[in-house]
C-alpha cells in the first residue's frame, strides 16, 4: 500500500522497499500528501517520520504507532481563533479589496456525479474542515479577529448545456470571475462552489471551487482534492452518509501551539539570528522607482525547463551533494540576484509550507487552512566560484536557518512582548521565492475528475497590494519546471526580466549538468551536524586530507590517537 502511494505521488512505475523517498523526487510537500493518504489506510504517521525513515522498509515498522498524544477537537467548532502569522501579515498589508484575495480551481467532473453528490461534498468538507467556516471582524483599533462561524454558501448550479461548445470556455470563465468577486470575509463567506452543466457533447461538467486565501494554501488544496475524490467514490459505492473520518488537529490548536512555541527559550534565542539576517538587507536595483505596488500593474514572465532536465533535477542529482530541490533552485537565484545587484549577498523572502513539527501534540497532515511561513534568508555566493562550491555554500547557509524559519514569524507576530515583535519589523526583502511543488499529483486522473482548461477568473483584485519588487514562483507542471517571474511593469522593463529569467535557467542547467557529470557523492558539514562548527572549506580540507592519508596508507585502524583527532575535529 505504501509503495502504491509513493508510485502515484512520485510518478515512479515501481517502488522498492529500500528505495529512498527523496532520491525518487520526494519533497516536504509530497511528504504531507503521503502521510495524509496513508492515514486513510489506518497508518498513523507524521511528516517527521518520513524524514527520519526514508525507506518503506523502516517506515512500515513504525506505521502503527498510537496517535493518543494528538490534540483533537471533534464536532462543528465554534469560538475565537488566534490569527496565524501569515494571516496577520495579510491584514497588516491593508488591501483595499480585502475580501477578494482568493485561490481557485476548475475541475472537469464526470456527468455521472449529480447535483446532489456535489451538494453532499460541499456540506461534508465544510463540516470537517472548520477553517472553511472562519469569519472575520475588524475591531475599533483597526486590528482584525477571527472566529468559527456556521455559514457556507450553498452549491450554485449554472446550466450552460445549450451554450455552443466554442463559446463555453469564455462564458464559464466569466461566471467564475463573478463568483470570485462575491466572497465576503465579514459574514464568513469564504467558499464558493459552482457546478456548471456543460454542452451535451462534452463528457464532463465543470466544478468550480474558490476559497479565500485566509482559509487555504497549496497543501490544503491537495487535501481537498483527495477529499472530493474520496467522497465521490464513497457516494457511488452506496455509502449513505459519507464521512472524512475522525478530525485531527484543528486550525485553532495549531495557532495556539504557535503562541506557545513563540515564548519557548529556544525560540527566543533565535532573535539575534533574525536581527542579523534582516540587517543585511539592501534594496534590489530596479529600472524605475515605484511608490505604490498594486496588482493592477503586475505581470508575469514564464520560462520552462525541458522534461529531461526537470526529471534530473527531481530524481538524479540530489544524491551528489545530498541536497534538496530548494538548494539548487535558490543557488541559481542567488547567483543571478548577486550578479545583477553587485552586492556580496542578497536577502530573499522565502515562502515555505509552514507545517513544521513544533509540538508532539500537533498533526498538520490533514488540516486545511493558511499555514504559509514567510521569512528572510541571507545568501552569500561568489559568482566566480566552482559550481559545486556554490551548491555546497547555499546548502550550508540554508541548513543554518533554525527550525526551517518558523521561529521568525512566531517571534514577529505571536510573541507577547511588543519589543520583541518590533525588532523584526518590518521584514525586509525585495525578492520573494516560493517552490510550490509538483502539481502533476494534485489531481489524480480518475473516472471522476480531470484538470479543466477554463480560466478560473481573477483570484485577487487588481487594487490589492503586492509589496515586493519581484515574485519568483517555481512549480512542476506536466513534467516540466515552470518558473514565473512576477514584476511591476512601472518598475521593470520587460527586457530586464527576460534577462534575469534567461540567466537563471542557464545557471540552473549548469548546476544540473555539473551534478550529472560528477562521479562521486560529496558530503558537507550539515550532513554530520557540523554546520555550526566548521565551514565548507574547512570540511573539504579535512575530507581531502583524510582521503590522502587513507590512500597513502599512513593511518592504521589501530592508530587511536589519529582517530581521536579526527573525531575531535
Amino acid at each position: 500500500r505504501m509503495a502504491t502511494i509513493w508510485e502515484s505521488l512520485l510518478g515512479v512505475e515501481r517502488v522498492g522497499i529500500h528505495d529512498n523517498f527523496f532520491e525518487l523526487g520526494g519533497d516536504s510537500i509530497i511528504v504531507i500528501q503521503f502521510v495524509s493518504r496513508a492515514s486513510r489506510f489506518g497508518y498513523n504517521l507524521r511528516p517527521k517520520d518520513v524524514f527520519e525513515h526514508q525507506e518503506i522498509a523502516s517506515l512500515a515498522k513504525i506505521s502503527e504507532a498510537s496517535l493518543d498524544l494528538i490534540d483533537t477537537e471533534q464536532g462543528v467548532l465554534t469560538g475565537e481563533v488566534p490569527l496565524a502569522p501569515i494571516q496577520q501579515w495579510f491584514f497588516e498589508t491593508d488591501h483595499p479589496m480585502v475580501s477578494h484575495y482568493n485561490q481557485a480551481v476548475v475541475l472537469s467532473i464526470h456527468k455521472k456525479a449529480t447535483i446532489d453528490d456535489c451538494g453532499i461534498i460541499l456540506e461534508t468538507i465544510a463540516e470537517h474542515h472548520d477553517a472553511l467556516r472562519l469569519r472575520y471582524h475588524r475591531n475599533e483599533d483597526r486590528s482584525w479577529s477571527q472566529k468559527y462561524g456556521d455559514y457556507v454558501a450553498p452549491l450554485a448550479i449554472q446550466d450552460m448545456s445549450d451554450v455552443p461548445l466554442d463559446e463555453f470556455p469564455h462564458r464559464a470563465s466569466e461566471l467564475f470571475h463573478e463568483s470570485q468577486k462575491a466572497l465576503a470575509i465579514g459574514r464568513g463567506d469564504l467558499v464558493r462552489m459552482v457546478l456548471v452543466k456543460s454542452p451535451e457533447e462534452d463528457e464532463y461538467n465543470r466544478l468550480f471551487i474558490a476559497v479565500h486565501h485566509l482559509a487555504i494554501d497549496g497543501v490544503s488544496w491537495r487535501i481537498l482534492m483527495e477529499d472530493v475524490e474520496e467522497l465521490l467514490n464513497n457516494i457511488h459505492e452506496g455509502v449513505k452518509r459519507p464521512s472524512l473520518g475522525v478530525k485531527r488537529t484543528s486550525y485553532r490548536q495549531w495557532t495556539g501551539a504557535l503562541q506557545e512555541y513563540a515564548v519557548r527559550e529556544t525560540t527566543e534565542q533565535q532573535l539575534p539570528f533574525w536581527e542579523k539576517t534582516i540587517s543585511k538587507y539592501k534594496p534590489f536595483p530596479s529600472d524605475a522607482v515605484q511608490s505604490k505596488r498594486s496588482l493592477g500593474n503586475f505581470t508575469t514572465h514564464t520560462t520552462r525547463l525541458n522534461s529531461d532536465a526537470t526529471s534530473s533535477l527531481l530524481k538524479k542529482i540530489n544524491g551528489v551533494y545530498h541536497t534538496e530541490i530548494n538548494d539548487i533552485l535558490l543557488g541559481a537565484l542567488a547567483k543571478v540576484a548577486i550578479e545583477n545587484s553587485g552586492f556580496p549577498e542578497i536577502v530573499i523572502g522565502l515562502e515555505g509550507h509552514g507545517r513544521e513539527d513544533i509540538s508532539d501534540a500537533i498533526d498538520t497532515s490533514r488540516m486545511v487552512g493558511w499555514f504559509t511561513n514567510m521569512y528572510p534568508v541571507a545568501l552569500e555566493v561568489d559568482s566566480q566560484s566552482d559550481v559545486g562550491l556554490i551548491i555546497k555554500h547555499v546548502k550550508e547557509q540554508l541548513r543554518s536557518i533554525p527550525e526551517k524559519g518558523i521561529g521568525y514569524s512566531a517571534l514577529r507576530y505571536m510573541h507577547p512582548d511588543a519589543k520583541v515583535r518590533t525588532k523584526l519589523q518590518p521584514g525586509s526583502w525585495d525578492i520573494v521565492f516560493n517552490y510550490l511543488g509538483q502539481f502533476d499529483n494534485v489531481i489524480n486522473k480518475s473516472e471522476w475528475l480531470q484538470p479543466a482548461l477554463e480560466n478560473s477568473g481573477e483570484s485577487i483584485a487588481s487594487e490589492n497590494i503586492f509589496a515586493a519588487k519581484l515574485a519568483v514562483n517555481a512549480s512542476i507542471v506536466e513534467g516540466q519546471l515552470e518558473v514565473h517571474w512576477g514584476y511591476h511593469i512601472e518598475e521593470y522593463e520587460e527586457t530586464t526580466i527576460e534577462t534575469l529569467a534567461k540567466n537563471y535557467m542557464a545557471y540552473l542547467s549548469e548546476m544540473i549538468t555539473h551534478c550529472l557529470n560528477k562521479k562521486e557523492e560529496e558530503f558537507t558539514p550539515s550532513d554530520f551536524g557540523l554546520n555550526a562548527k566548521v565551514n565548507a572549506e574547512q570540511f573539504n580540507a579535512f575530507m581531502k586530507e583524510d582521503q590522502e592519508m587513507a590512500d597513502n596508507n599512513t593511518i592504521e585502524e589501530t592508530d587511536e590517537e589519529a582517530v581521536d583527532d579526527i573525531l575531535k575535529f
Side-chain angles (χ1 to χ4, degrees):
R1 283 172 173 168
M2 285 190 181
T4 300
I5 297 173
W6 281 27
E7 289 163 1
S8 172
L9 289 174
L10 299 171
V12 178
E13 289 186 7
R14 184 164 182 167
V15 169
I17 63 171
H18 295 295
D19 288 338
N20 184 286
F21 180 83
F22 297 97
E23 291 178 3
L24 291 175
D27 57 41
S28 59
I29 293 176
I30 300 179
V31 166
I32 297 170
Q33 287 181 274
F34 166 62
V35 171
S36 176
R37 292 192 188 184
S39 69
R40 298 188 185 279
F41 293 107
Y43 302 134
N44 299 326
L45 297 168
R46 296 171 183 256
K48 69 175 183 181
D49 294 330
V50 186
F51 286 95
E52 294 172 359
H53 304 271
Q54 299 181 10
E55 300 177 358
I56 290 176
S58 59
L59 197 59
K61 295 176 182 177
I62 63 166
S63 62
E64 297 181 2
S66 172
L67 289 182
D68 291 343
L69 292 176
I70 300 295
D71 283 339
T72 64
E73 291 186 294
Q74 302 302 315
V76 178
L77 305 185
T78 60
E80 297 290 326
V81 181
L83 289 169
I86 192 64
Q87 293 176 313
Q88 295 187 50
W89 167 85
F90 170 78
F91 284 122
E92 77 177 8
T93 307
D94 204 19
H95 298 288
M97 305 292 288
V98 71
S99 285
H100 190 177
Y101 199 97
N102 318 321
Q103 293 189 336
V105 298
V106 184
L107 305 172
S108 293
I109 183 169
H110 201 283
K111 289 183 176 178
K112 290 188 298 183
T114 66
I115 292 173
D116 287 343
D117 294 342
C118 293
I120 292 170
I121 289 169
L122 175 58
E123 179 183 337
T124 304
I125 64 174
E127 181 179 323
H128 187 84
H129 299 295
D130 298 277
L132 300 178
R133 294 181 285 99
L134 286 168
R135 181 173 187 161
Y136 296 86
H137 174 72
R138 192 155 201 178
N139 306 309
E140 290 184 3
D141 63 357
R142 298 187 62 77
S143 66
W144 288 81
S145 57
Q146 69 180 347
K147 64 180 180 180
Y148 290 123
D150 57 5
Y151 178 79
V152 174
L155 175 72
I157 299 97
Q158 186 71 34
D159 190 347
M160 292 190 179
S161 56
D162 59 349
V163 173
L165 192 61
D166 60 341
E167 294 181 19
F168 177 72
H170 175 69
R171 292 276 296 275
S173 295
E174 284 185 330
L175 170 67
F176 301 152
H177 178 64
E178 291 304 312
S179 299
Q180 295 227 45
K181 290 166 61 178
L183 299 183
I185 66 172
R187 65 169 183 259
D189 190 0
L190 302 186
V191 181
R192 187 71 79 247
M193 183 182 283
V194 184
L195 179 65
V196 180
K197 293 185 176 181
S198 68
E200 276 188 29
E201 53 266 54
D202 195 329
E203 186 181 358
Y204 291 84
N205 289 322
R206 302 296 184 270
L207 185 65
F208 168 79
I209 309 173
V211 183
H212 196 284
H213 206 342
L214 284 165
I216 203 159
D217 57 19
V219 175
S220 299
W221 278 113
R222 290 162 166 84
I223 295 168
L224 278 188
M225 293 304 97
E226 290 176 7
D227 286 350
V228 170
E229 189 165 343
E230 179 81 5
L231 289 169
L232 281 169
N233 287 331
N234 288 344
I235 291 168
H236 286 264
E237 286 169 1
V239 179
K240 293 184 178 180
R241 297 193 63 182
S243 167
L244 294 173
V246 176
K247 293 181 181 181
R248 301 265 184 116
T249 301
S250 71
Y251 194 68
R252 171 165 54 198
Q253 289 170 318
W254 163 251
T255 54
L258 275 174
Q259 288 177 323
E260 295 176 2
Y261 172 79
V263 296
R264 287 183 195 168
E265 183 179 357
T266 52
T267 307
E268 292 175 335
Q269 289 171 350
Q270 297 178 24
L271 188 59
F273 174 90
W274 295 116
E275 288 183 280
K276 182 179 180 181
T277 300
I278 62 177
S279 72
K280 296 178 179 179
Y281 164 76
K282 293 180 181 179
F284 189 75
S286 56
D287 296 328
V289 176
Q290 184 180 10
S291 57
K292 186 177 181 180
R293 299 190 179 112
S294 66
L295 286 163
N297 65 6
F298 192 81
T299 191
T300 302
H301 175 78
T302 301
T303 56
R304 293 174 179 84
L305 192 67
N306 66 55
S307 300
D308 289 341
T310 299
S311 178
S312 296
L313 175 67
L314 291 175
K315 300 175 182 179
K316 295 181 181 178
I317 70 169
N318 287 307
V320 175
Y321 293 108
H322 303 278
T323 52
E324 299 173 6
I325 187 170
N326 257 9
D327 301 329
I328 308 299
L329 298 177
L330 283 167
L333 181 59
K335 185 172 181 179
V336 168
I338 285 172
E339 284 189 350
N340 183 269
S341 66
F343 304 148
E345 61 186 338
I346 192 76
V347 176
I348 294 171
L350 185 57
E351 288 192 38
H353 58 67
R355 298 169 186 245
E356 308 302 344
D357 182 28
I358 61 171
S359 170
D360 288 337
I362 299 296
D363 175 17
T364 62
S365 63
R366 290 280 304 139
M367 294 167 65
V368 166
W370 195 5
F371 292 83
T372 303
N373 180 37
M374 192 182 302
Y375 56 98
V377 175
L379 295 176
E380 182 180 357
V381 168
D382 181 354
S383 59
Q384 303 304 314
S385 292
D386 167 76
V387 174
L389 194 57
I390 290 176
I391 293 172
K392 289 186 287 186
H393 267 300
V394 170
K395 172 188 169 183
E396 291 306 291
Q397 290 173 85
L398 292 174
R399 299 299 182 278
S400 72
I401 298 170
E403 298 187 322
K404 299 184 179 179
I406 193 74
Y408 171 81
S409 56
L411 292 167
R412 167 76 175 81
Y413 291 103
M414 306 297 273
H415 198 281
D417 189 341
K419 292 180 180 178
V420 172
R421 299 196 303 271
T422 302
K423 287 180 179 180
L424 300 179
Q425 293 177 355
S428 294
W429 49 74
D430 291 329
I431 304 174
V432 176
F433 176 82
N434 189 7
Y435 173 62
L436 296 162
Q438 302 180 39
F439 283 173
D440 295 346
N441 64 26
V442 174
I443 300 173
N444 291 324
K445 293 184 179 180
S446 67
E447 62 174 318
W448 298 113
L449 301 174
Q450 302 281 345
L453 299 178
E454 285 78 19
N455 189 296
S456 61
E458 188 178 80
S459 291
I460 302 177
S462 59
E463 299 92 332
N464 287 339
I465 307 299
F466 186 80
K469 292 181 179 180
L470 297 173
V472 184
N473 293 311
S475 57
I476 310 295
V477 180
E478 295 183 352
Q480 293 187 321
L481 175 74
E482 291 188 353
V483 183
H484 304 277
W485 293 76
Y487 65 100
H488 302 273
I489 58 176
E490 294 180 2
E491 197 160 20
Y492 286 97
E493 299 288 341
E494 185 178 2
T495 53
T496 301
I497 302 302
E498 288 176 348
T499 300
L500 287 171
K502 179 182 177 181
N503 289 343
Y504 178 80
M505 279 300 182
Y507 295 146
L508 189 60
S509 298
E510 185 181 10
M511 289 178 173
I512 293 170
T513 301
H514 167 86
C515 292
L516 288 174
N517 291 335
K518 189 170 174 61
K519 303 300 182 184
E520 297 177 352
E521 66 177 349
E522 200 168 317
F523 294 95
T524 60
S526 62
D527 295 319
F528 301 95
L530 293 171
N531 46 315
K533 298 177 174 62
V534 295
N535 60 34
E537 286 85 357
Q538 291 172 320
F539 186 81
N540 287 343
F542 165 72
M543 294 296 284
K544 182 179 179 181
E545 181 179 347
D546 182 47
Q547 185 61 49
E548 289 175 352
M549 293 169 69
D551 291 343
N552 296 328
N553 202 26
T554 58
I555 181 169
E556 301 291 339
E557 289 185 15
T558 55
D559 190 342
E560 295 182 5
E561 185 177 350
V563 172
D564 221 29
D565 287 342
I566 293 171
L567 292 174
K568 285 179 181 178
F569 183 86

